[in-house]
Amino acid sequence: ALAAPSATVDTPTKILDERQGCRVTTPAPCAYISPPPTEEETAARHALFFDAFILKKNLSEAFKYIDNVYTNHNPMARTGGPKEALNILGGIWCNQNFRNGKSAFRGDMGYVAYNNIVDRFRWKDGCITEHWDSGERWP
């Protein structure tokens, strides 16, 4: 008799992904919205980014909100736009244990906090274009 696999049983692919790190598909860069979204609309996009980035730990989904000229202002990060950031985070992000995750949005800045870390993201025309995480404070 044939049986369908149970939804509660780990598949070999899932187990392999967990051993080898996160599986990340590089999405197309975020396309600027014209006319630019309102602050409220951008705040809603930031909430979707936070959900994908921190709560679901889905970099492929989160990076749909990052433009192709993304600048990472972390002094340890190399330039290279979103591709470089995905290279850094891709192998480790899904295995992180985030605590105390929260999100806020003010003006054109989105904030994400977790594990006593604050990341700040500048939004432009509906897309994330810059990132800071060194010495950032919660607004």
Side-chain angles (χ1 to χ4, degrees), residues 38-53:
T38 65
E39 182 177 341
E40 292 78 20
E41 292 167 331
T42 305
R45 289 176 66 81
H46 179 73
L48 293 170
F49 168 76
F50 171 76
D51 182 67
F53 191 56

Side-chain angles (χ1 to χ4, degrees), residues 9-11 17 21 37 54 72 88 91 100 106 115-116 129-130 137:
V9 175
D10 287 339
T11 64
D17 286 349
I54 299 298
N72 189 344
I88 293 168
N100 305 318
R106 308 281 188 279
N115 299 2
N116 297 320
T129 193
E130 291 183 85
R137 296 196 176 177

